[in-house]
Amino acid sequence: GLGGGCGGRRPAAAPRTVSLREPWTSAEPMDGLRSASIDAPRQAVGQRVRSGLGRSLGWALFEGFGLSGLSLFSLVIFAWTLTPYDIGLGAVALSVVQMLTMFVEMLFHDALVQRRTVRQIHYDTAFTVCFVMGCAFSALCWVASPLLGWAMGDPRAAEVLAWMSLSMPFMGLSSSLMARMRREMQFRAL
């Protein structure tokens, strides 16, 4: 017959079991018991995530506004105590340091935050590479600072660049730690 030798009947399929770790992939509707057992943990996790996300967003905003306020306060103090020429020297040196620091801070940051799984070796590698880059860029600034002094016609520009560049190794030390805190949404610690 048409059934393939078994009197037209097909063997019954084994019942499918669903674990909480396995996503529901069947096209058949779930019964109430399974639905309740899966949805309750998901709802609890969702509430914890929303609560943690709200707190993290608040601390991130506090960090952003706090840094902006501190920068504004510093700028006002500098404007009262320094001449416009001195502020210009500092701004030029700071722009060089900030351009180099961007590589030190952001080389691994987004990758560590967005990667699906991160192991300790990833953080250790980022820490080491960023610290070494910070030290190398700082040394480069010390060696090349006379060129900035010559280009600006003021040897004080070389001194300002050299001393400002000492912040780069410290930025390298903190970059992987900041990425870990952001990944774990621990903005309060930042």
Side-chain angles (χ1 to χ4, degrees):
L2 298 173
C6 292
R9 295 178 48 192
R10 294 183 185 185
R16 183 170 186 262
T17 59
V18 177
S19 71
L20 291 178
R21 293 184 181 169
E22 179 183 356
W24 186 259
T25 57
S26 174
E28 302 172 14
M30 296 186 337
D31 62 359
L33 181 62
R34 283 194 217 159
S35 176
S37 66
I38 291 175
D39 288 341
R42 285 184 184 165
Q43 288 174 353
V45 168
Q47 288 172 350
R48 284 194 307 263
V49 167
R50 283 191 296 274
S51 172
L53 188 61
R55 275 186 267 127
S56 296
L57 180 62
W59 282 110
L61 288 173
F62 179 73
E63 176 193 12
F65 283 115
L67 288 175
S68 296
L70 185 62
S71 296
L72 178 63
F73 178 73
S74 300
L75 185 61
V76 169
I77 297 298
F78 292 150
W80 279 342
T81 58
L82 300 174
T83 66
Y85 184 79
D86 292 337
I87 291 174
L89 283 178
V92 170
L94 183 62
S95 66
V96 171
V97 169
Q98 286 297 320
M99 285 189 319
L100 294 174
T101 300
M102 181 178 59
F103 294 109
V104 173
E105 287 182 324
M106 301 310 254
L107 182 65
F108 292 103
H109 183 271
D110 290 343
L112 289 173
V113 171
Q114 296 174 5
R115 189 177 169 97
R116 185 175 299 270
T117 57
V118 179
R119 296 184 313 192
Q120 187 61 38
I121 189 76
H122 297 120
Y123 289 114
D124 293 344
T125 302
F127 177 85
T128 304
V129 170
C130 290
F131 177 67
V132 169
M133 280 180 59
C135 291
F137 285 157
S138 182
L140 178 67
C141 286
W142 276 87
V143 170
S145 64
L147 291 174
L148 181 66
W150 174 78
M152 294 194 64
D154 189 346
R156 294 183 309 160
E159 294 173 18
V160 172
L161 175 62
W163 288 107
M164 278 188 174
S165 72
L166 291 179
S167 66
M168 285 190 272
F170 297 104
M171 295 299 180
L173 288 174
S174 67
S175 66
S176 65
L177 179 61
M178 289 176 60
R180 174 175 270 176
M181 296 296 170
R182 284 199 171 104
R183 178 180 177 84
E184 296 171 358
M185 289 197 277
Q186 294 181 4
F187 294 103
R188 186 176 188 176
L190 292 173

